[in-house]
Amino acid sequence: MRRQLTPTILRLFFLSLALLFTSSVAFADARTDARTHYQAGVKFYNAQDYRSAIREFSSAQQLMPADLNNYNLALCYDKLGDAEPAVQYYRAFLDKQPNSDKRAEIDEAILTSASRIPPPAPLSDQSFALAEKLAEELDDAQEEGSD
């Protein structure tokens, strides 16, 4: 019985090593690919090709999430005048890096970008009536639930 167990254990050991090696190679490849996308994003940003920079920073973020990618994406959207995603990415960066040395600069950028976001369109009469009806139904349901 001991002879059969040893080859099985050896097979499992080598299989485990192979899996470990494969996963570490995949991790290294993802990190390398993310770095390549990040570096391409920096080049596009410096060339003022912000749409291409967004594509590259987004690819880097998908491969290896990093706070700096959120900041870079915010800068790109800000340069394009696309305020909503700029604010979204600035806030995502600050959520992870609340004590950033760029905090004051980012807070100012958020205020400036947020001021460019148009207010929501007013509700049409039909939408308003539907909203009122739903609010009444919700009130009725809450009253029934408290009885």
Side-chain angles (χ1 to χ4, degrees):
M1 176 146 184
R2 187 174 186 126
R3 288 184 183 177
Q4 290 175 342
L5 201 56
T6 304
T8 303
I9 291 173
L10 284 175
R11 277 191 218 118
L12 287 174
F13 175 74
F14 286 117
L15 181 61
S16 298
L17 280 178
L19 288 173
L20 181 64
F21 177 74
T22 306
S23 64
S24 65
V25 169
F27 179 76
D29 287 345
R31 175 174 270 168
T32 300
D33 289 348
R35 183 178 291 122
T36 300
H37 285 291
Y38 172 80
Q39 290 169 343
V42 169
K43 287 180 184 176
F44 283 125
Y45 183 87
N46 290 335
Q48 299 179 356
D49 184 353
Y50 304 117
R51 294 200 189 287
S52 295
I54 288 169
R55 185 183 65 243
E56 296 298 333
F57 289 136
S58 294
S59 294
Q61 184 69 356
Q62 287 176 339
L63 289 166
M64 293 292 292
D67 303 333
L68 186 58
N69 289 325
N70 286 328
Y71 178 68
N72 290 328
L73 286 162
L75 291 174
C76 291
Y77 281 110
D78 207 355
K79 292 287 188 178
L80 291 171
D82 200 346
E84 287 185 52
V87 169
Q88 173 191 345
Y89 283 111
Y90 280 133
R91 287 185 176 148
F93 175 77
L94 288 178
D95 285 347
K96 300 287 184 171
Q97 299 286 329
N99 299 321
S100 170
D101 58 344
K102 297 180 181 292
R103 178 74 195 225
E105 173 189 329
I106 293 171
D107 285 339
E108 181 64 31
I110 288 172
L111 288 174
T112 303
S113 293
S115 71
R116 293 191 317 252
I117 298 173
L123 292 175
S124 68
D125 290 340
Q126 186 179 15
S127 296
F128 187 74
L130 178 61
E132 280 186 325
K133 181 180 177 187
L134 290 172
E136 288 174 14
E137 289 176 4
L138 181 61
D139 287 341
D140 292 343
Q142 287 176 341
E143 286 176 12
E144 289 176 12
S146 11
D147 291 338

